[in-house]
């Protein structure tokens, strides 16, 4: 019954937003619309983006295998309280580490499978592009893409092994 739990790829929440916007410059637009050569060239630019925001994946707290059951296998820790309820989460203390302890020698841990969520991630990709006409039916597109445009950290799982020195830290 302890193996009943969340899947490793369970996202509670996922939000994606993908806008496309034509910049208001050039002929027939709100700004720089005098009809001169420069204003005609600056028109027609578009910007687009993809915003992805998702909650983290679930994981279990692991312990050293002292179960004496033979073989080398994962050993979950003993859970004595709910480690998800911290008043302030940080990269140095993601979950309540006092809620999970090393099981006694010869015993298996009692923690349920995947009962803590890792940190979520938010990412923004941006594009800037314009189509330049060659003739009536053909055009060439100039495009530049910025992946992970704001270059902020995408946190990984915290250290989930009870006996590690960095236990509970990302």
């Amino acid at each position: 019954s302890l193996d009943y739990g969340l899947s490793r790829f369970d996202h509670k929440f996922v939000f994606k937003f993908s806008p496309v916007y034509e910049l208001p410059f050039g002929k027939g637009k709100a700004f720089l619309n005098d009809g001169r050569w420069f204003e005609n060239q600056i028109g027609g630019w578009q910007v687009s983006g993809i915003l992805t925001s998702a909650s983290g994946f679930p994981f279990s707290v692991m312990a050293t295998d002292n179960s004496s059951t033979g073989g080398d296998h994962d050993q979950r820790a003993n859970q004595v309280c709910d480690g998800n309820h911290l008043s302030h989460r940080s990269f140095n203390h993601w979950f309540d580490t006092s809620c999970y302890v090393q099981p006694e020698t010869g015993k298996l841990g009692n923690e349920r499978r995947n009962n803590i969520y890792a940190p979520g991630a938010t990412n923004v990709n941006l594009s800037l592009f314009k189509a330049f006409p060659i003739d009536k039916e053909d055009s060439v597109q100039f495009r530049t893409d910025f992946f992970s445009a704001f270059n902020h950290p995408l946190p990984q799982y915290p250290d989930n092994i009870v006996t590690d020195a960095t236990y509970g830290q990302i």
Side-chain angles (χ1 to χ4, degrees), residues 65 67-73:
D65 182 17
S67 63
S68 301
T69 56
D72 183 23
H73 58 275

Side-chain angles (χ1 to χ4, degrees), residues 80-98:
V80 294
C81 61
D82 187 358
N84 282 305
H85 298 294
L86 267 182
S87 59
H88 177 70
R89 284 188 168 180
S90 69
F91 280 18
N92 290 325
H93 198 87
W94 186 254
F95 59 93
D96 188 351
T97 56
S98 66

Side-chain angles (χ1 to χ4, degrees), residues 17-23 45-49 127 129 143:
F17 181 63
S18 183
V20 177
Y21 178 71
E22 185 170 352
L23 299 176
W45 285 93
Q46 294 181 329
V47 63
S48 69
S127 296
F129 54 95
R143 178 182 196 98

Side-chain angles (χ1 to χ4, degrees), residues 34-143:
D34 292 338
R36 294 187 213 138
W37 181 85
F38 176 74
E39 282 81 2
N40 289 337
Q41 298 309 309
I42 202 166
W45 285 93
Q46 294 181 329
V47 63
S48 69
I50 301 173
L51 165 69
T52 304
S53 185
S55 59
F57 290 112
F59 67 97
S60 298
V61 175
M62 307 308 285
T64 304
D65 182 17
N66 294 332
S67 63
S68 301
T69 56
D72 183 23
H73 58 275
D74 290 336
Q75 163 75 334
R76 286 191 217 121
N78 270 345
Q79 184 174 353
V80 294
C81 61
D82 187 358
N84 282 305
H85 298 294
L86 267 182
S87 59
H88 177 70
R89 284 188 168 180
S90 69
F91 280 18
N92 290 325
H93 198 87
W94 186 254
F95 59 93
D96 188 351
T97 56
S98 66
C99 289
Y100 303 93
V101 295
Q102 174 72 37
E104 299 172 27
T105 301
K107 304 278 184 173
L108 294 173
N110 68 358
E111 180 198 10
R112 294 195 69 116
R113 174 191 153 127
N114 295 335
N115 68 343
I116 301 176
Y117 275 91
T122 299
N123 190 39
V124 176
N125 299 327
L126 296 174
S127 296
L128 179 67
F129 54 95
K130 178 180 176 171
F132 294 93
I134 296 174
D135 58 32
K136 287 184 178 182
E137 296 180 13
D138 296 322
S139 64
V140 172
Q141 186 182 72
F142 172 80
R143 178 182 196 98

